[in-house]
Amino acid sequence: MGAPILPDAQAETASADAIELESFVVTGTRTRQAADQAPVRVEVLAAGKLESLGARDFADAMEYLPGVQVESNCQSCNTTEIRLMGLSGAYNQIAFDGLPVLSSLAGVYGVEQIPAGFIERIEVVKGGGSSLYGASAVAGVINVIPRRPVRDGGKIDLRFDSVAGAPSWHGSATFDRVSDRGTSWFSGYVGTTRADEVDLDGDDFTEIARKRLEVAGLRGKVRRGSLEWTADLDFIDEHRRGGNALDAPSHLANVAETLDTRRLGASVALDGRPGDRFDYRIVAAFASTRRDSYYGGLGEVVTDELAPDYDAAAYRSALERSKLQYGATDNPLWVIEAQFNHGFDRRTLSWGVQGEHERVRDENIDDRGTRVGEAAEARTFSNVALFVQDDWRVHERFTLLVGARVDRDDQLDDPVFSPRVAAKYSANEYTVWRAAVGTGFRAPRIFDEDLHIDTLGAQPIEIVNAPGLRREDAVTANLGVVWNPRALAEVLAFEVNVFGARLQNVFSLSEVKTSSDGSLFRERSNANGAGVVGTEFNVAWSFARGMRADLGAVWQRARHDEAVVLFDDDAGRVVESRRFNKTPESLAVLSLGYESGDAWDWSIGLRWTGPMHVLDNNAGTFERRGGFLVIDAAVGRHIRVANTQLELQFGVRNLTDDRQRDFQSGAGRDSDYVYGPRQPRTWFGRVGARF
């Protein structure tokens, strides 16, 4: 599923809104190109595929892309990151319709806040082959492309999940209006989710948080002559609570991670084509994310006054500390971009400017909303970049993409020059080679994970930058070949791709330390260097009408040049390793599906996550865990009633319930000790109506 080598030729059977769009991609060059002609390797996940195996949100959808690891990083609140090329989520850029509007705070839980039903397709470029994306897009770009209606109508959808026996409800509705000539359209959507908490080991502490999510948005386009205006407004309101005593105030729980997040985003884009050989796009966007949070709790103190080991003094002491662990965060983000494309006989020259400004104010408050300590100073982060890229068809068989960007980041003293190059060579009508080399960097600013606070024994663990922290530099490369013998079958293709990344001054987190005031923290400092190498193999085969199989498998090896300290208890027990934490060396996905369009559909998917080494801060170990084979299956029925198409679907995700079994229990657990598949066995049923 989602193999990059052949787009899904049957997208229209799953959704009338998906007509022909998968045959074209935009992410590599930000110009619409046929997928098999694009100089940059682009992998595509379409709406029909997301629906066929029961993906609920953006995070679920990404689990079926070869070589992608969707990882939960917290046992209490389930913050999730998407890893490409064996590198953490901080090394890739998530864009929405090409725009990087997911701020530091929004990125903590954002990948689970985008319902799959609102996505038209997802395009992924692995590696840094394109200069049009930020310098931090080292491992790649994940471009979420929202629905664009092609006719009047809409859809109403209701879904029920049973997650290890706990109920979850999701409802959504979309309404579309398209002008007679297609020169303008308007689309609105609303969605709501209610999910109960899940306790997988019976210790009265959650492994999956209780969640409530509301989403709403409006999108519209108007075209007048050579100008096209597109506007987008969206709103997200989410509450999640993990730990224990979920119905009590957070500070009365032994462990609580409570997040109330509200995000309002808006963008306006102007596309112009004053001539056949020149076009441009100017975009301005704003996103405001606010969060009320609580990380901590009473810890292992006994709270029952009738218990024989209840200690009133210990409880009062723990309560006074617990009341001080609330937080309030404000995070506005402004983004502006302009891209100009000049067409020539055999080339397209693109150039432009990108600007980004973000402010983060993170206040520590008590249970009454009173500030604790001195007022926190707002941190601001800005980056301005100039880029140029030449998409040159040197020969009928050879295309060269050469570009560079200069970034001026306010966290660095000097501008950073990042050249990038990609090439495509069609050896014959069946065989295509692609290669890319890109450079990039990470500035010493805060990251998504800094605004999610791990807990150890109900004590928050914050991340701080070491004095003199330098920027991290990176070079990535990949080389691949696609063999597509069309004469043998309607859909049959094979791909092999090798990739690598070289990192210098790698950001590395220390072991958990205790400050002079007794609080816990981890320090981010520079290690020497690290490298990742890997091989990806894909096969796509449509062996009967309506039936298709996709297989993708990746082997990867990620190592620091020298061992880094992962654990040190100051009592002689030290854990060092060159390995990356929670990074498997093998990943694979296999999907088999049948789409009839107006009758029965079915799909079966297998996801393999290989063994990985996982740090346990409680035990002071870094040991091998896993692997896991997840089996998903679904069957659906399409029923036409007048002008309405009814859709019924029933399925299961993680049929064999293959997952982590050694969760830590009780208030003293290390919330970061979580790995492997994010969801236990989940049965689901869905009913929808398109009109």
Side-chain angles (χ1 to χ4, degrees):
M1 181 176 184
I5 45 183
L6 276 180
D8 187 358
Q10 302 174 25
E12 189 175 357
T13 65
S15 169
D17 296 342
I19 297 174
E20 74 145 4
L21 289 174
E22 269 200 289
S23 299
F24 295 85
V25 294
V26 298
T27 302
T29 61
R30 284 188 181 163
T31 56
R32 190 169 183 264
Q33 299 192 27
D36 58 352
Q37 296 299 315
V40 176
R41 178 177 181 261
V42 182
E43 303 175 66
V44 180
L45 285 167
K49 291 293 188 182
L50 308 187
E51 190 175 279
S52 65
L53 281 171
R56 296 162 301 181
D57 52 40
F58 172 43
D60 280 357
M62 291 300 294
E63 290 182 333
Y64 266 91
L65 194 74
V68 174
Q69 182 187 2
V70 184
E71 184 71 32
S72 177
N73 285 330
C74 180
Q75 187 178 355
S76 295
C77 66
N78 317 130
T79 177
T80 301
E81 71 171 328
I82 299 174
R83 302 185 179 194
L84 302 178
M85 295 179 61
L87 299 173
S88 72
Y91 289 91
N92 62 60
Q93 183 178 96
I94 298 176
F96 294 88
D97 218 4
L99 207 61
V101 293
L102 207 61
S103 67
S104 296
L105 182 59
V108 179
Y109 303 102
V111 297
E112 293 184 297
Q113 295 172 345
I114 307 168
F118 301 153
I119 299 172
E120 183 176 279
R121 70 186 188 275
I122 301 170
E123 296 182 357
V124 178
V125 174
K126 295 175 183 172
S130 174
S131 296
L132 307 184
Y133 297 92
S136 62
V138 173
V141 176
I142 304 170
N143 191 14
V144 181
I145 299 175
R147 294 178 60 256
R148 292 181 174 89
V150 295
R151 60 174 176 81
D152 288 349
K155 181 182 179 182
I156 298 175
D157 203 86
L158 181 64
R159 171 173 171 150
F160 171 77
D161 291 72
S162 176
V163 185
S168 172
W169 294 90
H170 173 74
S172 65
T174 59
F175 301 95
D176 305 322
R177 174 66 177 169
V178 181
S179 66
D180 293 338
R181 296 184 177 181
T183 57
S184 63
W185 54 259
F186 170 84
S187 181
Y189 62 86
V190 293
T192 183
T193 298
R194 298 289 186 275
D196 281 1
E197 67 277 7
V198 179
D199 175 13
L200 293 173
D201 56 4
D203 66 344
D204 293 328
F205 290 78
T206 66
E207 272 68 56
I208 298 178
R210 177 188 293 177
K211 298 176 187 176
R212 173 192 55 78
L213 174 67
E214 318 288 351
V215 297
L218 300 172
R219 289 177 54 81
K221 183 197 78 172
V222 177
R223 186 168 70 240
R224 294 291 183 268
S226 64
L227 298 180
E228 181 176 288
W229 291 89
T230 306
D232 192 347
L233 178 68
D234 62 86
F235 176 74
I236 293 173
D237 185 355
E238 187 195 55
H239 168 82
R240 63 173 68 197
R241 169 78 181 266
N244 74 323
L246 301 191
D247 296 319
S250 298
H251 63 274
L252 296 181
N254 295 96
V255 170
E257 296 194 16
T258 307
L259 298 311
D260 288 291
T261 306
R262 296 161 302 283
R263 181 182 183 275
L264 177 66
S267 67
V268 177
L270 172 63
D271 291 85
R273 182 177 287 276
D276 292 338
R277 292 175 176 263
F278 176 65
D279 64 87
Y280 60 86
R281 180 175 176 83
I282 301 173
V283 188
F286 169 76
S288 175
T289 307
R290 296 176 181 271
R291 186 190 69 182
D292 297 321
S293 62
Y294 183 89
Y295 293 102
L298 296 168
E300 296 181 282
V301 65
V302 177
T303 60
D304 184 359
E305 296 181 5
L306 301 179
D309 52 350
Y310 175 75
D311 185 330
Y315 176 78
R316 286 194 300 270
S317 175
L319 181 61
E320 289 304 311
R321 181 198 65 192
S322 184
K323 288 180 177 181
L324 305 179
Q325 295 172 335
Y326 288 88
T329 310
D330 182 28
N331 178 210
L333 169 70
W334 296 267
V335 176
I336 186 168
E337 294 192 358
Q339 179 175 332
F340 305 90
N341 303 308
H342 303 266
F344 302 95
D345 289 340
R346 287 181 171 269
R347 64 204 308 173
T348 299
L349 179 66
S350 301
W351 63 276
V353 60
Q354 299 167 345
E356 174 186 342
H357 180 77
E358 180 176 3
R359 187 179 76 241
V360 180
R361 182 185 294 275
D362 196 14
E363 296 278 356
N364 181 204
I365 59 177
D366 64 16
D367 60 313
R368 297 182 179 182
T370 304
R371 182 187 301 124
V372 176
E374 297 181 359
E377 181 179 351
R379 291 166 288 181
T380 60
F381 306 97
S382 298
N383 188 84
V384 177
L386 301 175
F387 65 86
V388 61
Q389 184 162 278
D390 188 5
D391 184 358
W392 181 19
R393 191 177 182 186
V394 181
H395 184 270
E396 287 185 359
R397 295 181 179 273
F398 182 67
T399 301
L400 185 64
L401 187 72
V402 180
R405 57 184 295 122
V406 177
D407 287 84
R408 185 67 175 93
D409 194 290
D410 67 350
Q411 303 299 298
L412 302 173
D413 293 332
D414 300 310
V416 182
F417 177 68
S418 302
R420 298 174 181 178
V421 61
K424 179 182 76 72
Y425 174 64
S426 300
N428 52 53
E429 60 179 319
Y430 303 130
T431 308
V432 175
W433 290 83
R434 284 186 176 88
V437 178
T439 62
F441 71 92
R442 295 170 71 201
R445 58 169 63 181
I446 64 168
F447 300 99
D448 297 353
E449 61 267 27
D450 301 353
L451 294 172
H452 164 260
I453 301 175
D454 293 323
T455 57
L456 179 62
Q459 294 191 64
I461 307 172
E462 298 194 60
I463 296 174
V464 299
N465 285 345
L469 185 68
R470 302 187 302 276
R471 79 169 193 249
E472 180 179 351
D473 293 310
V475 178
T476 61
N478 59 68
L479 172 66
V481 59
V482 178
W483 182 52
N484 181 13
R486 294 181 177 87
L488 301 180
E490 181 180 355
V491 175
L492 178 62
F494 303 86
E495 180 191 39
V496 177
N497 188 62
V498 295
F499 60 86
R502 182 65 193 164
L503 311 176
Q504 294 292 340
N505 299 323
V506 177
F507 293 153
S508 176
L509 292 179
S510 71
E511 71 281 6
V512 178
K513 299 180 179 180
T514 304
S515 65
S516 58
D517 63 1
S519 60
L520 302 181
F521 71 98
R522 302 181 73 185
E523 187 176 63
R524 180 187 288 116
S525 59
N526 294 112
N528 285 329
V532 179
V533 294
T535 302
E536 180 176 340
F537 175 73
N538 292 291
V539 180
W541 182 27
S542 181
F543 49 88
R545 182 173 179 81
M547 297 186 68
R548 173 165 168 158
D550 290 279
L551 169 66
V554 169
W555 174 87
Q556 60 192 16
R557 185 180 186 274
R559 296 288 189 274
H560 292 279
D561 292 348
E562 299 178 0
V564 297
V565 177
L566 301 173
F567 180 87
D568 186 350
D569 63 358
D570 293 327
R573 185 169 51 168
V574 178
V575 176
E576 296 180 313
S577 180
R578 292 180 56 210
R579 295 180 179 270
F580 286 27
N581 188 31
K582 294 196 288 189
T583 303
E585 295 195 342
S586 59
L587 296 162
V589 295
L590 169 66
S591 68
L592 177 65
Y594 171 74
E595 295 180 353
S596 64
D598 56 0
W600 291 96
D601 297 337
W602 57 264
S603 59
I604 299 174
L606 286 80
R607 294 179 276 131
W608 164 257
T609 302
M612 65 192 81
H613 281 70
V614 184
L615 176 65
D616 182 344
N617 284 297
N618 268 332
T621 60
F622 185 59
E623 296 181 349
R624 192 172 187 259
R625 298 285 185 263
F628 305 95
L629 180 63
V630 172
I631 302 174
D632 303 329
V635 60
R637 170 73 174 173
H638 303 274
I639 304 172
R640 176 69 64 175
V641 179
N643 293 324
T644 301
Q645 179 174 275
L646 299 180
E647 300 175 354
L648 304 175
Q649 188 182 37
F650 176 76
V652 60
R653 291 175 65 87
N654 200 352
L655 176 63
T656 59
D657 201 27
D658 195 8
R659 55 178 173 81
Q660 179 182 356
R661 300 290 177 177
D662 63 339
F663 287 113
Q664 296 187 2
S665 300
R669 67 187 187 177
D670 175 9
S671 68
D672 191 43
Y673 185 70
V674 56
Y675 58 91
R678 298 181 304 121
Q679 295 290 332
R681 182 188 295 116
T682 300
W683 299 94
F684 68 89
R686 184 180 66 85
V687 57
R690 298 180 188 270
F691 52 89

